Amino acid sequence: CNMEWKEIQFDQDKQIIHDICFNCNSKTMKDSFSYIGLMYYRFPKNIVAEIFGNKAFYVVSKAKNHWRLIGIAINKDFQNQGLGKITLKRLLERMEKEGVNTLTFRTNQNENAANFWLSQGSEIVGVKGNDFEMKFL
């Protein structure tokens, strides 16, 4: 496949991000699509994000001493092929290059994502409503 990772240009990539969010079997990511747009328009300098064709993307917000994951999403047609792990590895390598070593995020307790994150080495640091508050060091 000739696709490569590229920086997200939200105005240009909005439809692809929408399609991945709504085609990844995650209610959380469907709900996150509007928030991703809001973050791009209000705080563009705080966003770090890459997309891999129409298959996957990640979006994080820079905080003072860590990055906050807004979302990682994999189109359901490409799930269970290791692309989630590849996307996470890509994000962690980017963090390392920029001298950031902590990623925080929330994930719904009732979605498969929680098991994915735990299997990748993240830890649960709290519970907020139906979500686990998690940290990846």
Side-chain angles (χ1 to χ4, degrees), residues 106-109 124-134:
R106 286 169 71 166
T107 193
N108 190 294
Q109 295 179 37
I124 297 169
V125 295
V127 176
K128 293 188 177 158
N130 292 325
D131 293 344
F132 290 126
E133 180 70 31
M134 302 186 81

Side-chain angles (χ1 to χ4, degrees), residues 24-35:
C24 72
N25 292 330
S26 168
K27 180 184 179 327
T28 301
M29 284 310 300
K30 286 180 188 176
D31 294 346
S32 294
F33 175 72
S34 295
Y35 183 68

Side-chain angles (χ1 to χ4, degrees), residues 15-135:
Q15 188 62 51
I16 296 169
I17 292 169
H18 171 277
D19 293 349
I20 294 171
C21 283
F22 281 78
N23 193 27
C24 72
N25 292 330
S26 168
K27 180 184 179 327
T28 301
M29 284 310 300
K30 286 180 188 176
D31 294 346
S32 294
F33 175 72
S34 295
Y35 183 68
I36 291 168
L38 176 70
M39 292 298 290
Y40 262 98
Y41 294 119
R42 293 196 60 195
F43 308 104
K45 290 184 170 96
N46 288 7
I47 298 296
V48 177
E50 290 184 298
I51 192 166
F52 186 72
N54 65 342
K55 296 181 179 185
F57 71 86
Y58 71 81
V59 178
V60 298
S61 176
K62 295 180 188 178
K64 190 176 244 176
N65 58 358
H66 71 282
W67 283 1
R68 180 76 176 179
L69 182 67
I70 297 171
I72 282 183
I74 312 301
N75 180 314
K76 71 179 178 191
D77 297 337
F78 302 100
Q79 291 177 0
N80 300 312
Q81 298 173 21
L83 193 50
K85 291 176 187 170
I86 290 167
T87 304
L88 176 59
K89 182 175 188 247
R90 177 91 181 174
L91 169 56
L92 296 174
E93 287 171 353
R94 178 85 178 260
M95 288 174 58
E96 186 177 333
K97 279 184 199 166
E98 302 216 16
V100 178
N101 60 15
T102 303
L103 179 68
T104 63
F105 56 97
R106 286 169 71 166
T107 193
N108 190 294
Q109 295 179 37
N110 301 318
E111 291 187 5
N112 292 335
N115 290 331
F116 168 78
W117 287 110
L118 291 169
S119 74
Q120 298 306 305
S122 66
E123 60 185 53
I124 297 169
V125 295
V127 176
K128 293 188 177 158
N130 292 325
D131 293 344
F132 290 126
E133 180 70 31
M134 302 186 81
K135 184 183 280 190

